[in-house]
Amino acid sequence: MAAPSRKVFEVFVSKIPWTVASKEVREYFGQFGHVKKCLLPFDKETGFHRGFCWIGFSSEEGLQNALQKDPHLIEGTKLQARVQRSRTKAVPHMAGRLLKVSSVAAGVFASSGFYLYNQKVDLNDLSIVRFGRAAATTAVISYDYLTAFRDVQYGTEKYWALRSEVHRRSAERLKDLCCANRGTFIKVGQHLGALDYLLPEEYTSTLKILHSRAPQSSMEEIQQVIREDLGKELEQLFISFEEKPQ
């Protein structure tokens, strides 16, 4: 039996005055058709909304009526409204492709891992290992998003709760990836943690940890970098060197 359609006809609205509440936005767009959803995100630090929202109509007629209206004015301010693509059920074969790619990558890394281990090579220093971790993490996160919402109706309370949960565990996976790969990945994670205006709160709150609790390099790793880059031992360059900052 075919699954029911989950299309939601959405309009993305921006430049909403900070004095306007979600109730007023819903009532305004309600003149064009039945509003199924009005999502107006708030900033936890300021207590004000972020000036944009998503309006979901129950029918395409309501969506078209809203798009034909120009301009949209609330409290004398002109809003910007543009169409949001309809959301449909994810295509299962995409998840299959991701699994195949991950399986092939895992086989390649496993077969080469034994050789590298015998050569006493630090795997964390190999770009292919870091890339492999990133690819595997991406595949797992993508598969999670593709499959988590299969049996959940879009727009319901259960859907929003599940979406928050998926965001949270995906953010944890990204944080673990950054900590494992270190270097530039830590910097990228720190940058993502500061994008409150763009990413869901579950991502930013999780990745912000990298600002204060990033993984530390061991003394052996520091000595190795100095030895390779400068060709000298630590004692030859410094009179004293504290392993732990004061």
Side-chain angles (χ1 to χ4, degrees):
M1 181 177 178
S5 175
R6 297 181 184 177
K7 289 186 177 180
V8 175
F9 305 98
E10 292 187 350
V11 173
F12 178 75
V13 183
S14 58
K15 295 192 175 181
I16 303 173
W18 67 271
T19 54
V20 176
S22 60
K23 180 181 178 181
E24 296 172 273
V25 178
R26 177 184 285 271
E27 290 178 349
Y28 172 81
F29 282 94
Q31 64 181 302
F32 305 111
H34 179 259
V35 175
K36 188 175 182 179
K37 178 193 74 173
C38 178
L39 180 59
L40 183 65
F42 276 74
D43 189 317
K44 291 185 177 180
E45 295 183 0
T46 65
F48 299 110
H49 64 69
R50 298 183 177 181
F52 59 86
C53 76
W54 287 268
I55 300 295
F57 292 97
S58 299
S59 65
E60 185 174 7
E61 181 181 1
L63 172 65
Q64 294 302 326
N65 290 339
L67 294 176
Q68 290 174 6
K69 170 72 175 178
D70 188 34
H72 291 285
L73 297 173
I74 296 183
E75 293 189 354
T77 300
K78 183 178 179 180
L79 311 180
Q80 288 189 354
R82 65 173 185 267
V83 68
Q84 187 79 358
R85 288 186 178 180
S86 300
R87 301 170 185 258
T88 57
K89 186 176 180 180
V91 181
H93 75 269
M94 293 179 64
R97 289 181 180 177
L98 289 173
L99 286 177
K100 290 179 181 178
V101 172
S102 300
S103 299
V104 172
V108 173
F109 297 137
S111 61
S112 59
F114 181 75
Y115 170 78
L116 294 173
Y117 175 78
N118 289 334
Q119 297 298 316
K120 297 182 179 180
V121 176
D122 186 353
L123 297 181
N124 285 318
D125 292 336
L126 299 177
S127 298
I128 190 172
V129 174
R130 294 186 178 188
F131 173 79
R133 285 202 196 103
T137 300
T138 302
V140 172
I141 292 175
S142 299
Y143 181 76
D144 197 5
Y145 276 105
L146 287 170
T147 59
F149 306 99
R150 282 179 175 174
D151 301 318
V152 181
Q153 180 64 41
Y154 176 79
T156 61
E157 292 185 8
K158 183 179 180 180
Y159 173 88
W160 298 117
L162 179 59
R163 190 179 75 162
S164 178
E165 181 182 338
V166 175
H167 283 340
R168 181 74 61 185
R169 61 181 180 238
S170 298
E172 288 289 345
R173 288 169 179 142
L174 282 179
K175 186 192 71 174
D176 292 343
L177 171 65
C178 293
C179 292
N181 281 357
R182 297 182 294 182
T184 304
F185 283 81
I186 293 290
K187 295 297 182 182
V188 172
Q190 291 173 340
H191 177 66
L192 293 176
L195 299 180
D196 301 274
Y197 60 91
L198 181 62
L199 297 178
E201 187 273 336
E202 292 86 354
Y203 278 89
T204 56
S205 62
T206 300
L207 295 174
K208 277 181 180 178
I209 295 176
L210 296 175
H211 286 273
S212 57
R213 284 185 278 173
Q216 298 180 354
S217 299
S218 66
M219 195 63 189
E220 291 75 14
E221 291 172 329
I222 295 175
Q223 291 176 331
Q224 182 65 23
V225 170
I226 292 177
R227 191 177 299 117
E228 292 177 354
D229 291 353
L230 303 179
K232 294 184 178 181
E233 296 297 328
L234 193 63
E235 297 76 10
Q236 297 177 283
L237 298 172
F238 301 96
I239 297 176
S240 64
F241 191 93
E242 297 289 341
E243 294 189 19
K244 294 184 179 180
Q246 299 292 332

